[in-house]
Amino acid sequence: MEILIKNSLTITDQKSECLVIAVNADKTKSAILKEVDDATNGFIHQLIKSEDISGELGRTAFLYSGSNNLKQKLLFVGCGKLKEFDLTRAKTIIKAVITTLIEKKVKNISWDLLTICSAINHDIVKQLPQIINDITYNFDQFKSKKSPLPNLNKITLLFSDKKQLKSITNYLVQGQIIAEAVNATKTIANMPSNVCNAQYLAEQGKKLGKKHTSLKVSCLGEKELAKLNMNAYLAVGRGSENESIMTVIEYNGAKDKSAQPYVLVGKGLTFDSGGISIKPAAGMDEMKYDMCGAATVYGVMQAVAELALPINVVGVMAGCENMPDGNAYRPGDILTTMSGITVEVINTDAEGRLVLCDVLTYVEKYQPKAVIDIATLTGACIIALGHHYTGVMGNNEQLVAQLVTASNNADDKAWALPIDDNFQDQIKSTCADIVNAAGRDGGTITAACFLSRFTEKYQWAHLDIAGTAWKSGASKGATGRPVAMLVEYLMAQ
Ligand code: BES
Ligand code: MN
Ligand code: ZN
């Protein structure tokens, strides 16, 4: 979809097939609305009076004027009271407009979107491509009948503030890069486990590295992981026919090439059956999404490269599969992690933390500025925060606060959960240093406590995306979260 910003404030001489025009609920007419009314000899005024065109937020009216002065189709959209107009309301009207245009098979439009409230224009242009992609995204690779592409292919936004033209264009480009990254994450995350195994994640990483010369990609297979004593990671993958592979994507964009990097670690369980502590059948299909953390890392690294951010970033996709098998690890096993800490396996379904703990030790070698892990780690997080908020925990208040702020700015929300020493008692073991599963109470926090034992050497935050990474039911599919939040965080650095 092409989005143009045009330095013009007259709408009636635009060549587009359709003009999209905001109507407010204050009963005042914008200059553009007056212009359209004049061109139609007061016809629009009549329709507003009769309330066939309404200023109510999100209400649309699609019509042809029939006037010779105005050949274009017209789409009016209510934007509510001008004083109350904000980004949330802007998103509502964008969704309403784009859905209507697609339904009406309109090809190209001119739109007065940036004339409603100049204070939030930067946020609006950053969100616009993301909202469009969310509406138009399709995962139909495996369908015999593909969904038709939307006819809508060009949007011209009218805008007259010359001084802001450059910065508005910049924000639009950022929004487009984030939208593409979210799409890339969705498509990897949506792949079924019989296609997407750790090897597949590695190949995707390699391909990304070929496309962007600023990215250096390397892969560590089971042999290499064994040499590094990453025994907890390896134990989880032992029951699977698919090799465990850790894919590392390095980006060096800082002026000072040796500047400390930001490190992202993504849980990449390409399937989580639960292992010997096998999961119930209902909903087990959705455990193909247990690699959404790794898919997020992929998308963020793509965005970082395309934005050419002036920082160093390392992204790790911890690919692995958790299966029951004669060779699988078992409840009761005691594992010696790369760090030397020993873990008593209580439940083989608490596998994510076992994979992550070794990777968190591995990344010490980068002397990171901060490490953020992203993981579909606990069902308990869905109980705590539902599907709207990603859970954030960590060992540094400032880092946690920065991530929450970034999540609000990106409208990809996260909420901090407490993780103090009171919870640490729950992961004591009678025969090893710690257990891998600590019962139902505060399950999201005790999982983070487990990880915290492996992150003492640097600033660390943990994102539990169990509730936000995908949707179930009729709209089943990956969401691409929290790519937008993490890109926002990295841009703020
Ligand atoms: N991948 C799951 C967490 C999960 C479950 C995410 C459902 C989204 C939806 C994770 O590996 C897991 O199984 N966690 C267990 C931990 C428990 C055994 C301590 C859980 O949440 O039940
Ligand atoms: Mn599990
Ligand atoms: Zn899992």
Side-chain angles (χ1 to χ4, degrees):
M1 183 102 43
E2 190 185 0
I3 304 177
L4 294 175
I5 295 177
K6 192 167 169 187
N7 191 11
S8 159
L9 269 194
T10 46
I11 199 156
T12 50
D13 61 1
Q14 302 297 322
K15 300 278 183 292
S16 323
E17 177 189 353
C18 175
L19 309 178
V20 183
I21 297 145
V23 186
N24 64 51
D26 309 288
K27 311 235 147 86
T28 60
K29 276 195 218 114
S30 66
I32 284 179
L33 196 55
K34 274 190 202 129
E35 183 194 339
V36 179
D37 192 34
D38 288 346
T40 54
N41 303 320
F43 178 51
I44 301 308
H45 183 74
Q46 288 302 320
L47 289 173
I48 291 177
K49 246 178 122 184
S50 64
E51 292 187 9
D52 288 303
I53 294 176
S54 150
E56 189 192 317
L57 183 71
R59 269 271 288 274
T60 56
F62 187 77
L63 51 93
Y64 299 74
S65 80
S67 149
N68 272 339
N69 301 332
L70 199 56
K71 293 250 162 48
Q72 298 96 323
K73 295 165 186 170
L74 302 170
L75 176 61
F76 294 93
V77 59
C79 61
K81 291 211 161 79
L82 284 182
K83 255 207 190 135
E84 292 169 358
F85 196 71
D86 59 7
L87 188 61
T88 311
R89 289 176 174 84
K91 287 180 80 167
T92 305
I93 71 168
I94 292 170
K95 272 181 210 157
V97 165
I98 301 296
T99 340
T100 310
L101 292 170
I102 291 175
E103 192 185 291
K104 302 284 182 195
K105 298 193 161 53
V106 171
K107 290 198 187 78
N108 62 77
I109 60 160
S110 296
W111 192 355
D112 68 357
L113 178 65
L114 301 181
T115 67
I116 305 169
C117 174
S118 62
I120 57 169
N121 275 346
H122 287 97
D123 294 325
I124 290 180
V125 290
K126 197 161 165 181
Q127 285 295 331
L128 182 64
Q130 300 183 62
I131 300 170
I132 294 174
N133 274 19
D134 258 336
I135 294 173
T136 57
Y137 178 86
N138 259 312
F139 183 70
D140 57 8
Q141 234 167 291
F142 296 94
K143 290 219 186 230
S144 308
K145 202 166 168 248
K146 312 290 177 210
S147 6
L149 286 175
N151 293 26
L152 186 65
N153 58 29
K154 188 171 167 186
I155 295 176
T156 305
L157 300 174
L158 304 189
F159 185 72
S160 71
D161 185 351
K162 267 198 179 146
K163 265 188 274 161
Q164 282 200 29
L165 202 59
K166 211 170 162 189
S167 65
I168 289 278
T169 310
N170 262 334
Y171 273 76
L172 175 64
V173 171
Q174 282 173 24
Q176 284 167 324
I177 289 174
I178 295 166
E180 287 306 315
V182 167
N183 269 13
T185 293
K186 280 185 189 175
T187 296
I188 291 184
N190 282 332
M191 282 295 170
S193 308
N194 58 330
V195 174
C196 175
N197 49 30
Q199 177 71 42
Y200 180 87
L201 290 178
E203 282 159 14
Q204 297 309 304
K206 289 269 183 213
K207 267 196 211 161
L208 190 66
K210 284 232 169 80
K211 208 166 142 205
H212 299 280
T213 49
S214 59
L215 298 178
K216 209 184 101 206
V217 181
S218 52
C219 302
L220 286 79
E222 288 182 355
K223 246 192 179 161
E224 288 88 10
L225 298 177
K227 263 194 212 139
L228 289 159
N229 287 318
M230 298 175 80
N231 302 312
Y233 187 159
L234 285 166
V236 174
R238 234 172 50 205
S240 169
E241 287 292 314
N242 295 308
E243 186 177 1
S244 297
I245 303 173
M246 176 169 83
T247 303
V248 183
I249 309 172
E250 296 175 356
Y251 170 83
N252 268 300
K255 272 213 187 88
D256 173 7
K257 293 295 162 209
S258 64
Q260 291 177 280
Y262 296 85
V263 176
L264 306 174
V265 174
K267 171 176 172 182
L269 263 289
T270 59
F271 189 67
D272 176 15
S273 67
I276 299 298
S277 316
I278 197 162
K279 287 182 181 293
M284 209 206 272
D285 56 292
E286 295 190 2
M287 282 300 115
K288 70 169 184 173
Y289 297 119
D290 211 18
M291 36 62 74
C292 281
T296 296
V297 167
Y298 178 96
V300 173
M301 294 312 291
Q302 172 180 313
V304 163
E306 287 180 6
L307 291 163
L309 294 187
I311 50 175
N312 294 339
V313 187
V314 178
V316 183
M317 301 194 282
C320 188
E321 185 180 44
N322 187 18
M323 295 292 265
D325 179 76
N327 194 36
Y329 80 130
R330 336 157 179 73
D333 284 1
I334 297 178
L335 311 171
T336 303
T337 63
M338 180 181 182
S339 70
I341 297 174
T342 57
V343 180
E344 179 190 4
V345 177
I346 300 296
N347 188 320
T348 62
D349 198 12
E351 84 298 338
R353 63 201 77 182
L354 294 173
V355 170
L356 291 175
C357 73
D358 277 342
V359 180
L360 289 168
T361 303
Y362 176 80
V363 300
E364 280 174 9
K365 73 171 201 168
Y366 292 105
Q367 295 178 292
K369 185 139 195 178
V371 177
I372 302 165
D373 77 75
I374 308 105
T376 48
L377 205 63
T378 64
C381 195
I382 311 176
I383 307 298
L385 296 176
H387 295 284
H388 301 291
Y389 285 81
T390 291
V392 195
M393 288 138 278
N395 63 11
N396 182 285
E397 270 180 44
Q398 199 198 345
L399 175 59
V400 169
Q402 283 175 341
L403 285 164
V404 171
T405 301
S407 83
N408 290 326
N409 291 343
D411 205 8
D412 178 5
K413 298 237 163 57
W415 197 265
L417 296 174
I419 145 175
D420 61 47
D421 290 343
N422 290 317
F423 294 94
Q424 295 282 355
D425 284 346
Q426 282 176 251
I427 58 169
K428 275 188 182 149
S429 165
T430 56
C431 54
D433 297 335
I434 47 176
V435 292
N436 81 325
R440 286 163 48 88
D441 302 348
T444 303
I445 298 168
T446 52
C449 284
F450 181 96
L451 299 177
S452 76
R453 302 295 181 97
F454 301 85
T455 59
E456 286 173 1
K457 300 220 168 97
Y458 46 69
Q459 294 186 14
W460 156 79
H462 159 60
L463 302 180
D464 195 327
I465 57 169
T468 50
W470 77 86
K471 287 184 177 153
S472 312
S475 49
K476 178 172 159 180
T479 60
R481 293 179 66 182
V483 169
M485 158 188 175
L486 285 168
V487 173
E488 188 75 28
Y489 164 78
L490 290 173
M491 287 194 5
Q493 308 306 309

